[in-house]
Amino acid sequence: MLGRVAIYVGLAVFAVWILFPLWFLVSSAFATPSALAAKPWTPIPVEVTTDHFRAVIFGGATYGGYGVSNAGSRLPAAMGYSFMVGAIVVVISILFGGLASYGLSRFKFRGSTLTFRIIVISRIIPAIAIVAPFFVVFRKTGLLGTPWALIISYLAFTLPLAILMLKSYFDTIPSSIEEAAAVDGASTTKIILRIVAPIALPGLIATGILVFLEAWSEFFFAVILVGDLTTPPVLAGFQVLNQFNWNTLAAATVLSIIPPVALTLIFQRYLLGDLMAGASK
């Protein structure tokens, strides 16, 4: 009983530790600047306003005349830009990562183990170590400041992630199903499209969600290669030298986390199932 109580107390403390910053963020987005600075601070705003959200979406002044930088009116376009880049990265990562992981899972060839180890090692390479070569290559090819600069650079991290996750998932699928289809005369393409892909759909969806989250929240490459065209650099632009409004930044942050949170909630069962499959493997 004492052990169970300790577990629940630990979980409660951990939940408060995780959820309190989120609650503070949401309450700050709807609170007035005076309420935020009041002492003692109240977790539920007495006076609620949506001016901060209107300022973030349309630009202009916020509650009480507090100014907002021009980053406010750029947030909707930046979120659309981030969504487009994330969607393209997800499609490419799932397509090529799925084929590569299926090959590593089903076919043993000379150097397959070394190839998989290299993929694992590529996940731990720090971004700062490869951003300079990317910058030089993109400037020479005219891709600097374009979506393709982000897509190509993000694939250097999302493709290994997709391969690692999907290989673990393909390893849990018995190969006897594919062997039976091959005996019936099905080609390799038909086996992959009609048998393996439907069975591996939960793993593909979970991998796509994780890839999208990584592309959506990436800051370092975005600020160096394309400037303030994606969501994280635009959020950083709310804190300028001569003015800073925490309420406006909170409203912008709340809007920016809606797409990834919504996708995670919609496909939560696929995400948890794939993570558990990888853990058991």
Side-chain angles (χ1 to χ4, degrees), residues 138-153:
F138 292 149
R139 186 177 60 180
K140 293 290 185 180
T141 56
L143 296 178
L144 194 65
T146 66
W148 291 108
L150 288 183
I151 293 171
I152 296 173
S153 59

Side-chain angles (χ1 to χ4, degrees), residues 83-95 147 150-155 158-159 208 211-212 214-215:
F83 192 89
M84 178 193 68
V85 171
I88 296 176
V89 170
V90 167
V91 172
I92 297 177
S93 298
I94 293 299
L95 179 60
L150 288 183
I151 293 171
I152 296 173
S153 59
Y154 286 175
L155 287 174
T158 59
L159 264 178
V211 168
F212 180 82
E214 186 164 335

Side-chain angles (χ1 to χ4, degrees), residues 104-157:
L104 290 172
S105 175
R106 289 296 187 263
F107 305 107
K108 300 302 180 182
F109 53 90
R110 180 176 298 179
S112 60
T113 304
L114 178 62
T115 301
F116 185 72
R117 289 177 180 176
I118 292 175
I119 294 173
V120 174
I121 294 174
S122 66
R123 283 291 300 171
I124 64 176
I125 297 177
I128 195 172
I130 61 176
V131 66
F134 272 130
F135 184 87
V136 173
V137 171
F138 292 149
R139 186 177 60 180
K140 293 290 185 180
T141 56
L143 296 178
L144 194 65
T146 66
W148 291 108
L150 288 183
I151 293 171
I152 296 173
S153 59
Y154 286 175
L155 287 174
F157 297 97

Side-chain angles (χ1 to χ4, degrees), residues 20-280:
F20 177 76
L22 181 61
W23 176 255
F24 181 76
L25 180 72
V26 175
S27 63
S28 301
F30 288 98
T32 62
S34 58
L36 186 62
K39 294 183 179 180
W41 175 76
T42 56
I44 300 178
V46 178
E47 185 178 358
V48 177
T49 178
T50 58
D51 288 350
H52 309 300
F53 290 96
R54 288 197 295 267
V56 167
I57 297 174
F58 304 107
T62 61
Y63 186 91
Y66 282 73
V68 59
S69 65
N70 57 356
S73 59
R74 297 201 309 269
L75 182 63
M79 291 178 62
Y81 196 96
S82 296
F83 192 89
M84 178 193 68
V85 171
I88 296 176
V89 170
V90 167
V91 172
I92 297 177
S93 298
I94 293 299
L95 179 60
F96 291 96
L99 293 175
S101 58
Y102 180 78
L104 290 172
S105 175
R106 289 296 187 263
F107 305 107
K108 300 302 180 182
F109 53 90
R110 180 176 298 179
S112 60
T113 304
L114 178 62
T115 301
F116 185 72
R117 289 177 180 176
I118 292 175
I119 294 173
V120 174
I121 294 174
S122 66
R123 283 291 300 171
I124 64 176
I125 297 177
I128 195 172
I130 61 176
V131 66
F134 272 130
F135 184 87
V136 173
V137 171
F138 292 149
R139 186 177 60 180
K140 293 290 185 180
T141 56
L143 296 178
L144 194 65
T146 66
W148 291 108
L150 288 183
I151 293 171
I152 296 173
S153 59
Y154 286 175
L155 287 174
F157 297 97
T158 59
L159 264 178
L161 173 64
I163 294 173
L164 292 175
M165 292 194 61
L166 291 177
K167 182 184 182 300
S168 298
Y169 198 89
F170 286 136
D171 288 343
T172 62
I173 300 176
S175 58
S176 58
I177 302 176
E178 303 157 46
E179 294 172 357
V183 171
D184 291 338
S187 62
T188 304
T189 304
K190 283 187 176 182
I191 292 175
I192 293 176
L193 294 179
R194 297 186 179 182
I195 298 177
V196 177
I199 296 176
L201 184 61
L204 296 174
I205 294 177
T207 303
I209 294 298
L210 293 180
V211 168
F212 180 82
L213 293 178
E214 186 164 335
W216 179 272
S217 60
E218 203 284 324
F219 174 80
F220 186 66
F221 279 92
V223 74
I224 292 178
L225 299 179
V226 299
D228 55 355
L229 295 180
T230 57
T231 304
V234 170
L235 292 178
F238 278 88
Q239 183 176 359
V240 294
L241 183 62
N242 57 350
Q243 64 178 16
F244 174 64
N245 190 336
W246 166 250
N247 300 88
T248 306
L249 176 59
T253 306
V254 169
L255 291 177
S256 67
I257 66 176
I258 289 177
V261 169
L263 288 175
T264 303
L265 292 177
I266 293 173
F267 300 104
Q268 180 181 12
R269 62 190 184 97
Y270 297 107
L271 184 61
L272 294 178
D274 187 70
L275 290 179
M276 291 301 296
S280 62

